[in-house]
């Protein structure tokens, strides 16, 4: 993997620990003249040091450090205990690291590794890593810069390895491993049993990261906007009157849903009283809701679900980033719901989004424009210059559509209007009874790793009539075995032959996931015909549109958001 690509993929990981500092740093840079002078002074010192020692540097690329030494140095850096915990400390830490890196680089090649480690310490607390890497490339001696880039590559390896060491939690009874999937004969990260499981056992349960009711019932007030359960007549509901009205079956559901609701359709901060939004923000919100209400009829059922899931996911990310900033500033945090998605300590929604499989979905007319308009209501100001060509837009659509699971109760709902679009236009979800019987869609952190099989050893169920998913074993599963589920209805109906059943489910898999299944059942039913497996999904990290927008704000391209009650 080339360095440029690595830098792009690493932005999210490096920035997560610096989000709290980002807004503070930007505020200081814009409003504190002495702070700006200090930055300019430091840059001049670096430029001077580089100019003075350039002649004495060895030829580019002649200084290198072996991987074992880099690993040892990076492990030492990761174990340091003097890391800053608030914005003021981060500022001092950053300035000290840059100064030490400059001084060490000036002493010659024998100090280049120590210099690179100092510059890397500064990078870890800088709010916009790509911007700082560009500065390093222009001002830091090339051999030192190359070592910094090697450290980034190595840190990416550590981060990826460490992520699956702690996720999923041991209580889930499963692990995520890179193995060859039985249905596609290709390597990918998939779910395996971490202990023997017996037929009928509930392997694990989990709550969703985000949910979306189907368009025809989204605003009827009959179903909970968070857990998707049908609210009994006369039941006391919790209502939120925003641009997109929402109702909840409990205060717990309202608390879970609240951050994304207020960010998308009300105030920026879930902890603040809802103010009267500006006229342009209300217009943007109404345009977004209008798109959600009309797109399914125009472009095919399910399009509004993928758009709303994407927007809610990014709103959850922004809420987590704001909470991190508030904690660093000593501000009280809103109470979080206990019925929230599965994660290990220190992980956030962006960690999970980056690792989801997907294939790009092309936006339909109006989808990207309405999406950009709602991002602008995230607090980037009425005159925000957030690009309409946001990086990663098709990627996040693809990730939501590819990983969405259809939520259904009992045998599924029977009152859903028949789809009017062509089969290839419809968005499909992973649901063993068929998308036509779902009440809505949901995305989960663990269950998104399940692979498909037409003869699965587990089933996705919703016995509580809510979006809390229960994974139940259909047969005995031994430790280390791949756990599979059905993405589509795999039952042979009374009016179809075995051949017709195979054709139907394979057509669904191809349309929904670009998947040609080669599971044992498909191979057996094919007889003498060759079954060629195919899986066009990919697992590369995609850049979040809101991350790109935040990057634009912090680099000074657009005004920063105004956060009530904070400096």
């Amino acid at each position: 993997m080339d360095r440029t690509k690595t830098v792009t993929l690493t932005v999210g990981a490096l920035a997560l620990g610096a989000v709290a500092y980002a807004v503070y740093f930007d505020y200081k840079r814009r409003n504190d003249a002495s702070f700006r002078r200090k930055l300019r002074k430091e840059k001049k010192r670096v430029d001077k040091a580089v100019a003075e020692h350039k002649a004495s540097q060895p030829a580019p690329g002649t200084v290198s450090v072996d991987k074992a030494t880099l690993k040892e140095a990076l492990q030492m850096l990761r174990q340091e205990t003097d890391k800053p915990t608030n914005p003021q400390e981060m500022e001092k830490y950053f300035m000290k690291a840059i100064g030490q890196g400059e001084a060490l680089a000036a002493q010659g090649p024998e100090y280049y590794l120590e210099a690179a480690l100092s510059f890397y310490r500064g990078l870890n607390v800088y709010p916009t890593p790509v911007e700082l890497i560009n500065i390093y490339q222009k001002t830091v001696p090339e051999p030192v810069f190359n070592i910094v880039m090697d450290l980034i590559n190595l840190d990416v390896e550590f981060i990826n390895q460490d992520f699956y060491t702690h996720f999923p939690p041991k209580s889930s009874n499963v692990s995520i491993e890179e193995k060859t999937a039985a249905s596609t004969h290709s390597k990918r990260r998939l779910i395996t049993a971490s202990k023997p499981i017996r037929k009928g056992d509930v392997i694990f349960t989990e709550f969703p990261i985000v949910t979306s009711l189907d368009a025809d019932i989204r605003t009827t007030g009959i179903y909970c906007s968070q857990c998707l359960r049908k609210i009994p007549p006369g039941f006391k509901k919790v209502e939120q009157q925003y641009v997109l009205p929402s109702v909840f079956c409990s205060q717990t559901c309202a608390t879970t849903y609240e951050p994304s609701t207020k960010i998308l359709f009300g105030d920026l901060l879930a902890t603040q009283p809802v103010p009267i939004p500006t006229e342009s923000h209300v217009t943007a919100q109404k345009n977004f809701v209008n798109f959600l209400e009309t797109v399914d009829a125009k472009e095919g059922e399910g399009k509004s679900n993928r758009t709303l899931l994407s927007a809610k996911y990014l709103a959850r990310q922004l809420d987590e980033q704001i909470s991190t900033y508030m904690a660093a500033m000593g501000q009280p945090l809103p109470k979080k719901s206990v019925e929230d998605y599965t994660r290990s300590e220190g992980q956030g929604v962006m960690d999970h989004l980056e690792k989801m499989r997907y294939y790009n979905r092309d936006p339909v007319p109006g989808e990207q424009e309405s999406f950009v308009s709602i991002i602008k209501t995230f607090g980037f100001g009425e005159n925000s210059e957030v690009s309409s060509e946001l990086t990663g837009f098709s990627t996040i659509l693809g990730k939501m559509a590819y990983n969405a699971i259809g939520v259904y109760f009992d045998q599924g709902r029977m009152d859903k209007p028949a789809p009017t679009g062509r089969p290839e236009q419809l968005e499909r979800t992973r649901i063993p009874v068929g998308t036509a019987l779902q009440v809505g869609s949901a995305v989960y952190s663990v269950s998104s790793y399940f692979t498909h099989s037409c003869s699965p050893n587990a089933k996705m169920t919703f016995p509580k009539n809510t979006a809390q998913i229960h994974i139940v074993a259909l047969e005995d599963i031994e430790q280390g075995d791949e756990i599979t589920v059905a993405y589509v209805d795999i039952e042979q109906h009374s009016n179809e032959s075995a051949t017709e059943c195979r054709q139907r489910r394979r057509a669904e898999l191809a349309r929904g996931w670009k998947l040609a299944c080669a599971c044992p059942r498909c191979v057996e039913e094919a007889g003498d015909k060759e079954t060629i497996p195919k899986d066009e999904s990919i697992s590369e990290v995609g850049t979040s549109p809101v991350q790109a927008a935040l990057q634009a704000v912090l680099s000074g391209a657009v005004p920063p958001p105004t956060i009530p009650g904070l400096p």
Side-chain angles (χ1 to χ4, degrees), residues 401-421:
Y402 186 88
N403 294 282
I405 290 174
V407 179
Y408 68 100
F409 308 137
D410 299 322
Q411 300 304 311
R413 61 183 288 222
M414 301 300 175
D415 60 347
K416 189 172 182 178
T420 56

Side-chain angles (χ1 to χ4, degrees), residues 38-48 98 135 139:
K38 192 186 298 183
L39 284 177
R40 288 194 295 269
K41 184 178 179 182
E42 289 297 326
K43 186 179 183 304
K44 288 179 180 178
R45 290 176 62 193
V46 172
D47 290 344
K48 182 179 179 182
I98 297 301
I135 294 173
T139 59

Side-chain angles (χ1 to χ4, degrees), residues 390-465:
L390 285 174
T391 304
F393 178 76
S394 61
T395 298
I396 190 170
L397 286 181
K399 291 195 173 192
M400 292 297 103
Y402 186 88
N403 294 282
I405 290 174
V407 179
Y408 68 100
F409 308 137
D410 299 322
Q411 300 304 311
R413 61 183 288 222
M414 301 300 175
D415 60 347
K416 189 172 182 178
T420 56
R422 298 190 304 272
E424 62 271 18
Q425 286 183 304
L426 309 181
E427 288 291 338
R428 289 164 175 81
T429 58
R430 304 176 185 184
I431 178 171
V433 298
T435 305
L437 300 182
Q438 71 178 35
V439 297
S441 307
V443 175
Y444 302 81
S445 57
V446 180
S447 296
S448 62
Y449 289 89
F450 277 121
T451 46
H452 166 81
S453 174
C454 296
S455 52
N457 55 12
K459 185 176 183 179
M460 301 177 291
T461 66
F462 302 88
K464 292 190 174 183
N465 290 336

Side-chain angles (χ1 to χ4, degrees), residues 98-149:
I98 297 301
Q100 288 178 338
E102 170 203 333
L104 288 165
Q107 295 183 47
E110 64 270 27
Y111 292 95
Y112 280 173
L113 174 58
E114 289 84 354
L117 288 171
S118 291
F119 286 123
Y120 196 70
R121 289 186 184 96
L123 187 65
N124 273 321
V125 298
Y126 196 80
T128 52
V130 170
E131 179 183 1
L132 186 58
I133 289 171
N134 289 335
I135 294 173
Y136 282 171
Q137 190 172 21
K138 296 174 183 177
T139 59
V140 172
E142 186 174 345
V144 178
F145 177 76
N146 288 338
I147 296 173
V148 172
M149 299 307 297

Side-chain angles (χ1 to χ4, degrees), residues 77-350:
L77 188 150
R78 290 165 68 91
Q79 293 170 5
E80 290 178 349
T81 58
D82 63 339
K83 295 177 182 177
T85 58
N86 60 57
Q88 290 82 3
E89 290 179 2
M90 286 181 181
E91 177 189 338
K92 294 177 182 178
Y93 183 93
F94 173 76
M95 292 300 185
K96 180 180 178 182
I98 297 301
Q100 288 178 338
E102 170 203 333
L104 288 165
Q107 295 183 47
E110 64 270 27
Y111 292 95
Y112 280 173
L113 174 58
E114 289 84 354
L117 288 171
S118 291
F119 286 123
Y120 196 70
R121 289 186 184 96
L123 187 65
N124 273 321
V125 298
Y126 196 80
T128 52
V130 170
E131 179 183 1
L132 186 58
I133 289 171
N134 289 335
I135 294 173
Y136 282 171
Q137 190 172 21
K138 296 174 183 177
T139 59
V140 172
E142 186 174 345
V144 178
F145 177 76
N146 288 338
I147 296 173
V148 172
M149 299 307 297
D150 288 339
L151 287 169
I152 290 175
N153 283 325
L154 199 55
D155 208 11
V156 169
E157 291 182 24
F158 285 160
I159 289 170
N160 288 334
Q161 292 168 3
D162 191 57
F163 184 89
Y164 294 107
T165 300
H166 303 288
F167 176 83
K170 291 183 179 180
S171 59
S172 66
N173 302 320
V174 298
S175 302
I176 293 176
E177 302 181 63
E178 188 169 0
K179 300 180 71 172
T180 300
S183 61
T184 60
H185 304 179
S186 59
K187 270 203 164 185
R188 60 180 290 172
R189 292 197 180 275
L190 47 78
I191 295 180
T192 61
S194 58
K195 70 173 189 178
I197 298 168
R198 302 281 71 89
K199 180 180 179 180
D201 286 354
V202 175
I203 303 172
F204 68 84
T205 68
E206 69 170 327
F207 292 100
I209 302 175
V210 287
T211 61
S212 173
L213 282 166
D214 280 355
D216 66 300
I217 57 175
R218 189 172 293 145
T219 58
T220 60
I222 298 174
Y223 291 84
C224 177
S225 300
Q226 171 58 28
C227 75
L228 312 189
R229 73 181 292 194
K230 192 171 185 178
I231 303 174
F235 195 84
K236 186 177 181 181
K237 298 182 288 190
V238 180
E239 300 187 36
Q240 288 181 345
Q241 294 300 324
Y242 293 124
V243 178
L244 183 69
S246 305
V247 298
F248 305 94
C249 63
S250 67
Q251 188 58 51
T252 298
C253 278
T255 301
T256 304
Y257 189 87
E258 188 177 41
S260 59
T261 308
K262 285 192 175 181
I263 288 175
L264 284 172
F265 306 116
D267 188 15
L268 175 66
L269 280 181
T271 56
Q272 299 294 321
V274 181
I276 299 174
T278 63
E279 184 178 347
S280 62
H281 286 181
V282 172
T283 300
Q285 291 168 345
K286 287 182 177 179
N287 289 341
F288 183 67
V289 171
N290 181 64
F291 173 83
L292 295 176
E293 292 174 345
T294 58
V295 66
D296 285 359
K298 293 179 180 178
E299 304 295 339
E301 184 182 349
K303 293 294 191 297
S304 67
N305 273 349
R306 74 176 188 181
T307 309
L308 187 54
L309 287 172
S310 299
K312 284 185 175 182
Y313 205 107
L314 298 186
R316 290 218 61 176
Q317 181 201 355
L318 185 58
D319 177 64
E320 287 185 352
Q321 291 177 318
I322 291 172
S323 295
T324 302
Y325 173 61
M326 291 175 64
M329 297 298 293
Q331 300 291 319
L333 297 178
K335 184 180 179 181
K336 296 296 183 182
S337 171
V338 294
E339 296 186 357
D340 209 352
Y341 70 98
T342 303
R343 60 192 181 278
S344 297
E345 186 176 355
Q347 295 176 356
V349 294
M350 184 48 60

